[in-house]
Amino acid sequence: MAYQELSVNGSPRQTAAVERVVEARLPTVHGEFRAIGYMDRRTNQEQVALVHGDITAHGALTRVHSECLTGEVFGSNHCECGDQLGTAMRMMVADGSGILVYIQGHEGRGIGLLAKLKAMHLQQAEGLDTVEANLALGLPVDDREYTVAVEILNDLGVESVRLLSNNPLKREALEANGITIAERIPLLIPPNKENHRYLLAKRKRLDHSLPHLDGLLG
């Protein structure tokens, strides 16, 4: 089944369905999940959803998570992505059920790894914030879209979710494509000296809901 694709800036794009390919048990340090592998036929890109427990009830705890090599694999303190991923998985296990849709191709808010590193260099060398750096490179501020996440959630039979997210545009994109958000649950990670300016920019420039940053200086 196909859905209208909606990017975070509201522009429509051509859509195609994803294909469920494989399922396997995946024990992790956070708890046990089922890893369900998908192929996105639009891009030939492999995607994965991790499912914990029984998700048939309304309002399954759900995280739609964008790929971040630097934060998740290398443990970069520039962002909070790795901590958000682990925290979301632990919350799902504690809640008894949950869905993690991990989206490959979202590196650097969709601009790709090398462009993301270039943007980081500009932030460090010229004092630009994350938005200014993307624009200075002639790139979109946020080029992500969430059709593949919608199609995966529909394949899993999910009718409504409790969304783990601080990003209002992510919620809008999911709802615009037919996903009912029963509740948005903040996923707040304590800032550190390396990422507090980045997080402040996300709140001020991208409208992320980050109330725990109150009182921090930019």
Side-chain angles (χ1 to χ4, degrees), residues 32-53:
E32 185 165 312
F33 291 80
R34 288 184 290 132
I36 304 175
Y38 292 88
M39 177 62 71
D40 185 344
R41 293 201 297 267
R42 298 168 305 160
T43 62
N44 288 326
Q45 194 154 37
E46 298 170 340
Q47 304 290 356
V48 66
L50 301 186
V51 174
H52 177 79

Side-chain angles (χ1 to χ4, degrees), residues 12-114:
R13 300 177 183 176
Q14 187 178 358
T15 66
V18 297
E19 177 187 358
R20 186 191 289 217
V21 176
V22 65
E23 180 176 334
R25 172 177 167 267
L26 186 70
T28 78
V29 295
H30 308 297
E32 185 165 312
F33 291 80
R34 288 184 290 132
I36 304 175
Y38 292 88
M39 177 62 71
D40 185 344
R41 293 201 297 267
R42 298 168 305 160
T43 62
N44 288 326
Q45 194 154 37
E46 298 170 340
Q47 304 290 356
V48 66
L50 301 186
V51 174
H52 177 79
D54 181 3
I55 59 169
T56 58
H58 290 284
L61 196 61
T62 299
R63 170 71 177 168
V64 176
H65 188 88
S66 296
E67 172 188 21
C68 178
L69 177 72
T70 52
E72 297 156 5
V73 177
F74 301 137
S76 169
N77 283 328
H78 180 78
C79 66
E80 79 278 42
C81 300
D83 288 333
Q84 283 188 322
L85 180 62
T87 299
M89 293 174 70
R90 289 191 296 271
M91 290 175 69
M92 292 170 191
V93 172
D95 198 58
S97 64
I99 305 164
L100 170 70
V101 180
Y102 186 91
I103 307 183
Q104 297 199 84
H106 272 196
E107 187 78 51
R109 298 195 302 274
I111 64 174
L113 177 60
L114 296 185

Side-chain angles (χ1 to χ4, degrees), residues 6 8 64 103 106 144-150 167 170 173-174:
L6 185 69
V8 293
V64 176
I103 307 183
H106 272 196
R144 292 174 293 180
E145 56 85 16
Y146 297 96
T147 301
V148 66
V150 171
N167 185 354
K170 184 183 294 185
L174 294 178

Side-chain angles (χ1 to χ4, degrees), residues 63 76-84 109 123 128-131 166-167 187-214 216-218:
R63 170 71 177 168
S76 169
N77 283 328
H78 180 78
C79 66
E80 79 278 42
C81 300
D83 288 333
Q84 283 188 322
R109 298 195 302 274
Q123 292 171 62
L128 304 183
D129 68 27
T130 181
V131 171
N166 307 320
N167 185 354
L187 192 56
L188 305 177
I189 305 300
N192 60 61
K193 66 179 182 179
E194 295 289 345
N195 69 19
H196 80 276
R197 185 170 180 266
Y198 168 76
L199 296 176
L200 283 169
K202 286 175 71 173
R203 184 169 79 167
K204 294 176 181 178
R205 304 295 300 275
L206 302 174
D207 201 29
H208 285 215
S209 178
L210 300 169
H212 66 314
L213 302 182
D214 289 346
L216 283 181
L217 297 177

